[in-house]
Amino acid sequence: MDVMISLLVGIPIGVFQSILMLWIVFRVFSPQLAWSSPMAVTPSGAGEGTTELVATVSNVGHRDAVDVAFHAELRVDHERTADGLTRILIKLPLNSSWMPRIRRGSFRRIRIEDVRVPAGEWERLRVRTGIEADTVVDALRGHPNAHVRLYGLASDPFSGSRQVFVSLDLYDGDFKPVEPPLDA
């Protein structure tokens, strides 16, 4: 009888402890990144009147974030075309698409290098949406449904848990100068 009582009490407690530890590892010991909002436009120094887009990512978690990878895309919603598509996506090159570590409480700036976007992508954008642009800033200002979305993928050095951080649309019609985030 004592064995049966031990099993009836021990198994639910063991299952509860396992679920609790998994929750702690994947919620508490996971990286936490935050994106700046809105994205900023700054002078690039590449030429007179040229600008570049800069986003700031902050590590607002309790631990360092390691093996951090970034991806950016220009998303433009448009009227349905003959092939049934309603959105065009253009992959945007970044100045740094991977960082080995972002320390706790620090931030990094990520610059979109739209000069490296192939001319064929801008032509595809023009054909589908009618936007005459050769930079991301021109595309954002030229279409009300154009947005830049950034993705970050980071790991926790202790637990190994990996998490994806997706920015919301980082353009709200007005660009602001780059400033460090308040919580960094």
Side-chain angles (χ1 to χ4, degrees):
M1 188 69 176
D2 291 338
V3 173
M4 186 61 88
I5 293 174
S6 296
L7 286 174
L8 289 175
V9 172
I11 290 175
I13 289 175
V15 169
F16 174 74
Q17 286 177 335
S18 296
I19 292 171
L20 179 66
M21 286 308 296
L22 285 174
W23 181 83
I24 288 172
V25 166
F26 290 111
R27 290 295 178 182
V28 177
F29 293 134
S30 63
Q32 298 294 321
L33 300 180
W35 297 99
S36 63
S37 181
M39 198 175 325
V41 173
T42 60
S44 67
E48 190 64 34
T50 59
T51 57
E52 62 188 14
L53 285 170
V54 177
T56 304
V57 62
S58 303
N59 183 357
V60 295
H62 300 291
R63 306 166 61 76
D64 292 355
V66 298
D67 194 22
V68 185
F70 298 107
H71 170 75
E73 61 187 27
L74 174 66
R75 304 163 60 93
V76 182
D77 295 327
H78 55 78
E79 296 296 322
R80 186 175 302 276
T81 57
D83 55 3
L85 299 177
T86 59
R87 176 179 291 150
I88 186 170
L89 299 175
I90 296 176
K91 183 178 178 188
L92 300 173
L94 303 171
N95 68 329
S96 178
S97 61
W98 179 79
M99 293 179 187
R101 178 179 301 267
I102 300 178
R103 298 244 180 241
R104 176 177 55 109
S106 67
F107 65 93
R108 296 288 184 266
R109 292 198 174 110
I110 302 167
R111 186 177 65 245
I112 296 175
E113 296 181 343
D114 54 3
V115 296
R116 293 181 14 210
V117 174
E121 292 291 324
W122 296 119
E123 179 63 24
R124 186 169 63 99
L125 180 68
R126 186 191 62 75
V127 168
R128 292 220 180 255
T129 64
I131 298 174
E132 294 287 338
D134 57 354
T135 66
V136 175
V137 175
D138 293 342
L140 291 174
R141 289 185 176 149
H143 198 281
N145 294 328
H147 304 283
V148 171
R149 187 164 289 174
L150 294 166
Y151 300 90
L153 183 64
S155 294
D156 181 69
F158 172 72
S159 66
S161 65
R162 202 146 167 83
Q163 210 163 7
V164 176
F165 300 93
V166 180
S167 69
L168 298 178
D169 299 327
L170 290 177
Y171 174 68
D172 64 357
D174 184 29
F175 291 107
K176 299 194 175 36
V178 175
E179 295 178 3
L182 298 175
D183 52 3

